[in-house]
């Protein structure tokens, strides 16, 4: 089992920044690719960003490219999502996920409980 705990969400004005963190415990963190997903009210959960076990492979959904940055610190068992130039449409609950495939987040095996991000206009 892997336990994931997100933090760092909150209320921010459009154009502002937030940094989400996801602390993992349980199994060897570097065995997993990690990702961030989000779910807005009335919408399906969508992929936001993913990072391979070493950080050598990083990918984003088109709507956040150039604004969001995912990173990980395997020594701290933590993955981060730096969100800049936030827009009201980024408002959602953000979830951290771990995939047993160390190269790509495709079908996550574990999920965090989520953290709310609200961007006001």
């Amino acid at each position: 089992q892997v336990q994931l705990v997100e933090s760092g969400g909150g209320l921010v004005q459009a154009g502002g920044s937030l940094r989400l963190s996801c602390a993992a415990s349980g199994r060897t963190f570097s065995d997993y690719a990690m990702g961030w997903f989000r779910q807005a009210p009335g919408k399906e959960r969508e992929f936001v960003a993913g990072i391979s076990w070493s950080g050598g492979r990083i990918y984003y959904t088109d709507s956040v490219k150039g604004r969001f940055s995912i990173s990980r610190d395997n020594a701290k068992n933590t993955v981060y999502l730096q969100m800049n130039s936030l827009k009201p449409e980024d408002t959602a609950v953000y979830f951290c996920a771990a995939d047993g495939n160390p190269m790509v987040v495709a079908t996550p095996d574990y999920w965090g409980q989520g953290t709310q991000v609200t961007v006001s206009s």
Side-chain angles (χ1 to χ4, degrees):
Q1 289 285 343
V2 175
Q3 292 77 42
L4 303 172
V5 179
E6 302 98 332
S7 60
L11 173 64
V12 64
Q13 289 188 333
S17 298
L18 282 174
R19 188 193 196 201
L20 305 183
S21 298
C22 172
S25 62
R27 294 192 174 180
T28 304
F29 182 64
S30 58
D31 285 347
Y32 295 85
M34 300 297 296
W36 288 95
F37 292 73
R38 66 186 179 186
Q39 187 167 19
K43 295 187 177 182
E44 293 188 353
R45 188 174 299 187
E46 65 170 352
F47 169 81
V48 175
I51 186 167
S52 63
W53 72 276
S54 66
R57 182 178 179 184
I58 291 175
Y59 41 101
Y60 303 94
T61 192
D62 286 346
S63 62
V64 308
K65 284 181 181 177
R67 300 189 298 122
F68 289 13
S69 177
I70 188 172
S71 61
R72 65 189 294 163
D73 186 335
N74 287 346
K76 295 182 178 180
N77 292 348
T78 303
V79 61
Y80 305 96
L81 185 68
Q82 177 67 44
M83 305 186 294
N84 299 327
S85 303
L86 282 161
K87 304 175 181 180
E89 51 264 42
D90 294 318
T91 295
V93 177
Y94 283 70
F95 298 90
C96 174
D99 196 309
N101 181 335
M103 294 304 298
V104 63
V105 177
T107 53
D109 299 288
Y110 303 101
W111 294 90
Q113 83 289 349
T115 186
Q116 177 70 46
V117 172
T118 302
V119 185
S120 63
S121 57

